[in-house]
Amino acid sequence: MTILKIEQGINNKILRTTSKKVDNILDPEVQTLISNMEETLKSLEIGIGLAAPQVGKNLRIFIAKKSVSSKTVFINPKIIFLSKKNQEFEEGCLSIPDLKGMVKRSIKIKIEAFNKQGRKFRITGENLLARLIQHEIDHLDGILFIDKAETLYKLEDKSEIKNS
Ligand code: CO
């Protein structure tokens, strides 16, 4: 297994591209990519989720750490329900390591996705998991949290940046 390089930068082309659906989940290349993503996320101290474009592949796959989600691999996710009720909370991203921001997200989400074996499942996420799922699905659509953040902070000195 390989630890993959994390794509970084707010104008990074891969991060800004809409990712394609996975046609054949059991394809060895797709399976290897997922294993490497798992290994990569495990190797990082920070970060609870990772989307395929963040490791240079524009495919609709993201993973989550076991500590925050009972399901850890999400392929071709589809949103079934998104609560109208929002919550603003601090967010960061492995691809934008120098910034944090307050982002409003739905507090509850229900999605349908496929696991590593190609089996369809549904999961409901609330609070942190709901936020993670929305953040990662945004990655698959070329959207970064800074696009949605009302205020941004530089991590090094906590200075505020106006986001307009
Ligand atoms: Co991110």
Side-chain angles (χ1 to χ4, degrees):
M1 276 191 268
T2 317
I3 305 288
L4 303 165
K5 185 187 140 240
I6 306 288
E7 297 287 337
Q8 292 185 344
I10 57 174
N11 294 314
N12 179 301
K13 217 174 168 185
I14 297 168
L15 293 177
R16 289 310 197 173
T17 299
T18 301
S19 290
K20 289 198 177 88
K21 259 188 151 181
V22 179
D23 289 328
N24 181 8
I25 292 169
L26 302 179
D27 183 317
E29 264 186 48
V30 171
Q31 293 287 313
T32 301
L33 170 66
I34 295 167
S35 297
N36 289 341
M37 284 172 69
E38 289 175 317
E39 199 64 17
T40 303
L41 185 59
K42 215 190 289 170
S43 78
L44 300 167
E45 271 176 54
I46 51 156
I48 50 174
L50 184 68
Q54 291 184 278
V55 294
K57 291 276 175 200
N58 281 122
L59 287 172
R60 302 191 77 81
I61 302 170
F62 72 86
I63 62 167
K65 273 198 177 155
K66 256 189 210 128
S67 56
V68 292
S69 179
S70 59
K71 302 284 182 187
T72 57
V73 178
F74 302 79
I75 303 162
N76 299 337
K78 196 174 98 186
I79 298 171
I80 296 167
F81 168 80
L82 204 52
S83 72
K84 284 200 186 81
K85 199 174 169 196
N86 294 311
Q87 192 173 46
E88 199 176 44
F89 201 78
E90 191 182 72
E91 227 171 271
C93 180
L94 293 166
S95 294
I96 313 164
D98 51 338
L99 296 177
K100 288 259 185 193
M102 295 299 287
V103 185
K104 219 180 255 176
R105 302 268 190 199
S106 293
I107 63 162
K108 194 171 176 181
I109 189 172
K110 190 188 255 186
I111 65 162
E112 194 171 86
F114 293 84
N115 68 12
K116 210 175 169 177
Q117 287 74 40
R119 279 193 285 272
K120 197 190 269 186
F121 66 89
R122 283 184 176 198
I123 186 169
T124 300
E126 288 183 74
N127 303 308
L128 181 63
L129 181 56
R131 179 166 296 275
L132 179 147
I133 292 170
Q134 289 167 79
H135 177 112
E136 300 308 331
I137 290 177
D138 274 352
H139 270 303
L140 307 183
D141 294 321
I143 299 164
L144 298 172
F145 82 92
I146 53 155
D147 305 342
K148 295 185 168 176
E150 283 167 30
T151 45
L152 287 171
Y153 310 88
K154 270 192 197 161
L155 212 54
E156 50 173 8
D157 60 2
K158 299 260 190 284
S159 65
E160 196 172 313
I161 303 163
K162 279 240 160 64
N163 197 25
S164 53

